[in-house]
PDB file of all heavy atoms in Angstrom:
ATOM      1  N   GLY E 278      15.702  51.056   0.205  1.00 93.00           N
ATOM      2  CA  GLY E 278      14.769  51.193  -0.923  1.00 93.00           C
ATOM      3  C   GLY E 278      15.354  51.812  -2.141  1.00 93.00           C
ATOM      4  O   GLY E 278      15.103  51.337  -3.311  1.00 93.00           O
ATOM      5  N   LYS E 279      16.059  52.936  -1.985  1.00 94.00           N
ATOM      6  CA  LYS E 279      16.636  53.631  -3.091  1.00 94.00           C
ATOM      7  C   LYS E 279      17.715  52.710  -3.828  1.00 94.00           C
ATOM      8  O   LYS E 279      17.697  52.681  -5.056  1.00 94.00           O
ATOM      9  CB  LYS E 279      17.289  54.936  -2.628  1.00 94.00           C
ATOM     10  CG  LYS E 279      17.861  55.828  -3.748  1.00 94.00           C
ATOM     11  CD  LYS E 279      18.309  57.165  -3.134  1.00 94.00           C
ATOM     12  CE  LYS E 279      18.807  58.130  -4.254  1.00 94.00           C
ATOM     13  NZ  LYS E 279      20.020  57.665  -4.849  1.00 94.00           N
ATOM     14  N   PHE E 280      18.523  52.078  -3.083  1.00 95.00           N
ATOM     15  CA  PHE E 280      19.526  51.208  -3.656  1.00 95.00           C
ATOM     16  C   PHE E 280      18.852  50.109  -4.436  1.00 95.00           C
ATOM     17  O   PHE E 280      19.252  49.840  -5.500  1.00 95.00           O
ATOM     18  CB  PHE E 280      20.373  50.626  -2.471  1.00 95.00           C
ATOM     19  CG  PHE E 280      21.263  49.482  -2.851  1.00 95.00           C
ATOM     20  CD1 PHE E 280      22.459  49.692  -3.490  1.00 95.00           C
ATOM     21  CD2 PHE E 280      20.827  48.160  -2.668  1.00 95.00           C
ATOM     22  CE1 PHE E 280      23.318  48.637  -3.860  1.00 95.00           C
ATOM     23  CE2 PHE E 280      21.664  47.096  -3.060  1.00 95.00           C
ATOM     24  CZ  PHE E 280      22.867  47.318  -3.669  1.00 95.00           C
ATOM     25  N   PHE E 281      17.876  49.460  -3.814  1.00 97.00           N
ATOM     26  CA  PHE E 281      17.140  48.372  -4.473  1.00 97.00           C
ATOM     27  C   PHE E 281      16.509  48.825  -5.763  1.00 97.00           C
ATOM     28  O   PHE E 281      16.620  48.188  -6.819  1.00 97.00           O
ATOM     29  CB  PHE E 281      16.093  47.792  -3.552  1.00 97.00           C
ATOM     30  CG  PHE E 281      15.191  46.779  -4.150  1.00 97.00           C
ATOM     31  CD1 PHE E 281      15.589  45.448  -4.327  1.00 97.00           C
ATOM     32  CD2 PHE E 281      13.947  47.089  -4.631  1.00 97.00           C
ATOM     33  CE1 PHE E 281      14.736  44.481  -4.899  1.00 97.00           C
ATOM     34  CE2 PHE E 281      13.074  46.165  -5.154  1.00 97.00           C
ATOM     35  CZ  PHE E 281      13.494  44.874  -5.323  1.00 97.00           C
ATOM     36  N   SER E 282      15.815  49.966  -5.736  1.00 97.00           N
ATOM     37  CA  SER E 282      15.116  50.447  -6.918  1.00 97.00           C
ATOM     38  C   SER E 282      16.111  50.731  -8.070  1.00 97.00           C
ATOM     39  O   SER E 282      15.871  50.356  -9.287  1.00 97.00           O
ATOM     40  CB  SER E 282      14.348  51.753  -6.643  1.00 97.00           C
ATOM     41  OG  SER E 282      13.306  51.468  -5.650  1.00 97.00           O
ATOM     42  N   GLU E 283      17.213  51.407  -7.765  1.00 97.00           N
ATOM     43  CA  GLU E 283      18.189  51.709  -8.771  1.00 97.00           C
ATOM     44  C   GLU E 283      18.820  50.465  -9.360  1.00 97.00           C
ATOM     45  O   GLU E 283      18.895  50.383 -10.585  1.00 97.00           O
ATOM     46  CB  GLU E 283      19.337  52.566  -8.171  1.00 97.00           C
ATOM     47  CG  GLU E 283      18.859  53.998  -7.783  1.00 97.00           C
ATOM     48  CD  GLU E 283      19.907  54.790  -7.117  1.00 97.00           C
ATOM     49  OE1 GLU E 283      20.986  54.227  -6.712  1.00 97.00           O
ATOM     50  OE2 GLU E 283      19.719  56.008  -6.877  1.00 97.00           O
ATOM     51  N   LYS E 284      19.151  49.488  -8.540  1.00 98.00           N
ATOM     52  CA  LYS E 284      19.768  48.252  -9.065  1.00 98.00           C
ATOM     53  C   LYS E 284      18.743  47.426  -9.868  1.00 98.00           C
ATOM     54  O   LYS E 284      19.100  46.851 -10.916  1.00 98.00           O
ATOM     55  CB  LYS E 284      20.330  47.436  -7.896  1.00 98.00           C
ATOM     56  CG  LYS E 284      21.479  48.071  -7.127  1.00 98.00           C
ATOM     57  CD  LYS E 284      22.651  48.354  -8.040  1.00 98.00           C
ATOM     58  CE  LYS E 284      23.802  48.947  -7.292  1.00 98.00           C
ATOM     59  NZ  LYS E 284      24.998  49.262  -8.147  1.00 98.00           N
ATOM     60  N   TYR E 285      17.529  47.446  -9.415  1.00 98.00           N
ATOM     61  CA  TYR E 285      16.483  46.727 -10.078  1.00 98.00           C
ATOM     62  C   TYR E 285      16.224  47.311 -11.522  1.00 98.00           C
ATOM     63  O   TYR E 285      16.185  46.555 -12.493  1.00 98.00           O
ATOM     64  CB  TYR E 285      15.166  46.760  -9.311  1.00 98.00           C
ATOM     65  CG  TYR E 285      14.085  45.807  -9.741  1.00 98.00           C
ATOM     66  CD1 TYR E 285      13.975  44.550  -9.071  1.00 98.00           C
ATOM     67  CD2 TYR E 285      13.272  46.090 -10.824  1.00 98.00           C
ATOM     68  CE1 TYR E 285      13.017  43.666  -9.532  1.00 98.00           C
ATOM     69  CE2 TYR E 285      12.296  45.152 -11.201  1.00 98.00           C
ATOM     70  CZ  TYR E 285      12.136  43.918 -10.552  1.00 98.00           C
ATOM     71  OH  TYR E 285      11.200  43.023 -10.966  1.00 98.00           O
ATOM     72  N   GLN E 286      16.269  48.604 -11.607  1.00 97.00           N
ATOM     73  CA  GLN E 286      16.024  49.265 -12.887  1.00 97.00           C
ATOM     74  C   GLN E 286      17.215  48.996 -13.826  1.00 97.00           C
ATOM     75  O   GLN E 286      17.032  48.838 -15.091  1.00 97.00           O
ATOM     76  CB  GLN E 286      15.853  50.762 -12.664  1.00 97.00           C
ATOM     77  CG  GLN E 286      14.520  51.143 -12.056  1.00 97.00           C
ATOM     78  CD  GLN E 286      14.427  52.580 -11.600  1.00 97.00           C
ATOM     79  OE1 GLN E 286      15.273  53.408 -11.968  1.00 97.00           O
ATOM     80  NE2 GLN E 286      13.416  52.900 -10.824  1.00 97.00           N
ATOM     81  N   GLN E 287      18.375  48.950 -13.284  1.00 97.00           N
ATOM     82  CA  GLN E 287      19.592  48.711 -14.081  1.00 97.00           C
ATOM     83  C   GLN E 287      19.515  47.349 -14.772  1.00 97.00           C
ATOM     84  O   GLN E 287      20.092  47.130 -15.878  1.00 97.00           O
ATOM     85  CB  GLN E 287      20.838  48.835 -13.217  1.00 97.00           C
ATOM     86  CG  GLN E 287      21.204  50.232 -12.808  1.00 97.00           C
ATOM     87  CD  GLN E 287      22.356  50.342 -11.840  1.00 97.00           C
ATOM     88  OE1 GLN E 287      23.033  49.329 -11.562  1.00 97.00           O
ATOM     89  NE2 GLN E 287      22.517  51.492 -11.226  1.00 97.00           N
ATOM     90  N   GLN E 288      18.914  46.393 -14.120  1.00 97.00           N
ATOM     91  CA  GLN E 288      18.854  45.020 -14.682  1.00 97.00           C
ATOM     92  C   GLN E 288      17.800  44.970 -15.856  1.00 97.00           C
ATOM     93  O   GLN E 288      17.743  43.922 -16.498  1.00 97.00           O
ATOM     94  CB  GLN E 288      18.501  43.989 -13.598  1.00 97.00           C
ATOM     95  CG  GLN E 288      19.571  43.760 -12.552  1.00 97.00           C
ATOM     96  CD  GLN E 288      20.788  43.093 -13.205  1.00 97.00           C
ATOM     97  OE1 GLN E 288      20.695  42.279 -14.069  1.00 97.00           O
ATOM     98  NE2 GLN E 288      21.976  43.505 -12.749  1.00 97.00           N
ATOM     99  N   LYS E 289      16.935  45.973 -15.935  1.00 96.00           N
ATOM    100  CA  LYS E 289      15.927  46.041 -17.011  1.00 96.00           C
ATOM    101  C   LYS E 289      15.009  44.815 -17.046  1.00 96.00           C
ATOM    102  O   LYS E 289      14.738  44.256 -18.113  1.00 96.00           O
ATOM    103  CB  LYS E 289      16.587  46.267 -18.355  1.00 96.00           C
ATOM    104  CG  LYS E 289      17.492  47.499 -18.474  1.00 96.00           C
ATOM    105  CD  LYS E 289      17.932  47.739 -19.860  1.00 96.00           C
ATOM    106  CE  LYS E 289      18.871  48.916 -19.943  1.00 96.00           C
ATOM    107  NZ  LYS E 289      18.434  50.130 -19.292  1.00 96.00           N
ATOM    108  N   TYR E 290      14.512  44.409 -15.860  1.00 98.00           N
ATOM    109  CA  TYR E 290      13.573  43.356 -15.807  1.00 98.00           C
ATOM    110  C   TYR E 290      12.262  43.790 -16.494  1.00 98.00           C
ATOM    111  O   TYR E 290      11.885  44.942 -16.462  1.00 98.00           O
ATOM    112  CB  TYR E 290      13.254  43.004 -14.354  1.00 98.00           C
ATOM    113  CG  TYR E 290      14.408  42.363 -13.618  1.00 98.00           C
ATOM    114  CD1 TYR E 290      15.036  43.070 -12.577  1.00 98.00           C
ATOM    115  CD2 TYR E 290      14.919  41.096 -13.986  1.00 98.00           C
ATOM    116  CE1 TYR E 290      16.100  42.505 -11.862  1.00 98.00           C
ATOM    117  CE2 TYR E 290      15.934  40.485 -13.300  1.00 98.00           C
ATOM    118  CZ  TYR E 290      16.586  41.256 -12.253  1.00 98.00           C
ATOM    119  OH  TYR E 290      17.611  40.665 -11.617  1.00 98.00           O
ATOM    120  N   SER E 291      11.590  42.831 -17.091  1.00 97.00           N
ATOM    121  CA  SER E 291      10.334  43.151 -17.858  1.00 97.00           C
ATOM    122  C   SER E 291       9.177  43.476 -16.925  1.00 97.00           C
ATOM    123  O   SER E 291       8.209  44.062 -17.329  1.00 97.00           O
ATOM    124  CB  SER E 291       9.933  41.998 -18.742  1.00 97.00           C
ATOM    125  OG  SER E 291      10.963  41.660 -19.655  1.00 97.00           O
ATOM    126  N   GLU E 292       9.287  43.050 -15.630  1.00 96.00           N
ATOM    127  CA  GLU E 292       8.146  43.267 -14.698  1.00 96.00           C
ATOM    128  C   GLU E 292       8.651  44.076 -13.459  1.00 96.00           C
ATOM    129  O   GLU E 292       9.812  43.957 -13.122  1.00 96.00           O
ATOM    130  CB  GLU E 292       7.628  41.915 -14.213  1.00 96.00           C
ATOM    131  CG  GLU E 292       7.239  40.960 -15.258  1.00 96.00           C
ATOM    132  CD  GLU E 292       8.402  40.096 -15.790  1.00 96.00           C
ATOM    133  OE1 GLU E 292       9.531  40.197 -15.198  1.00 96.00           O
ATOM    134  OE2 GLU E 292       8.256  39.374 -16.824  1.00 96.00           O
ATOM    135  N   PRO E 293       7.757  44.832 -12.846  1.00 96.00           N
ATOM    136  CA  PRO E 293       8.133  45.524 -11.598  1.00 96.00           C
ATOM    137  C   PRO E 293       8.280  44.596 -10.461  1.00 96.00           C
ATOM    138  O   PRO E 293       7.811  43.450 -10.528  1.00 96.00           O
ATOM    139  CB  PRO E 293       6.938  46.491 -11.404  1.00 96.00           C
ATOM    140  CG  PRO E 293       5.782  45.766 -12.012  1.00 96.00           C
ATOM    141  CD  PRO E 293       6.332  45.096 -13.232  1.00 96.00           C
TER     142      PRO E 293
END
Side-chain angles (χ1 to χ4, degrees):
K279 185 173 183 291
F280 167 83
F281 173 80
S282 295
E283 290 175 351
K284 295 298 183 183
Y285 195 96
Q286 290 171 11
Q287 287 173 12
Q288 292 293 325
K289 300 188 185 312
Y290 293 113
S291 300
E292 308 86 6

